[in-house]
Amino acid sequence: MSSFLSRRRVLATGAGAARVDLEVSDDGVGFDPAEVFARTPHGAGRGFGLPAARARLREYGGDLGVCGEPGRGTRIRATVSARPRPQPAAAPVPTATAG
């Protein structure tokens, strides 16, 4: 069996009407999430896009959790609000006055 093959699990749940959770886990080669999130945006590797994904989820009231360890697999859990994001009120359109 190849060392690249692993067991994977994907689980999506809705916590009532409040949020949606997506969890992806495997028992593959794993990595240290602390190293990924500690890298600077312009550093080597740039973190597999995980810092950007976390930032985007947080913009929408969610979060991204990553657990992993080299040689022991990885678990990534994304949570986001299921409710629409409030939109800012539109500015009133000025009207011309007769003068």
Side-chain angles (χ1 to χ4, degrees):
M1 183 167 84
S2 168
S3 63
F4 292 108
L5 296 178
S6 64
R7 289 181 292 203
R8 293 170 295 280
R9 186 181 94 176
V10 177
L11 175 66
T13 60
R19 69 173 199 256
V20 175
D21 300 320
L22 174 66
E23 183 175 299
V24 179
S25 60
D26 68 33
D27 63 351
V29 297
F31 63 93
D32 182 355
E35 288 182 19
V36 172
F37 288 107
R39 294 178 184 159
T40 63
H42 301 291
R46 297 186 51 182
F48 309 115
L50 294 173
R54 177 179 275 171
R56 179 63 52 94
L57 285 165
R58 287 179 175 174
E59 287 177 18
Y60 287 89
D63 203 0
L64 182 73
V66 183
C67 299
E69 187 177 330
R72 301 200 38 111
T74 305
R75 184 180 74 205
I76 299 175
R77 182 175 184 159
T79 302
V80 69
S81 174
R83 296 190 177 121
R85 184 175 176 193
Q87 298 297 315
V93 176
T95 57
T97 57

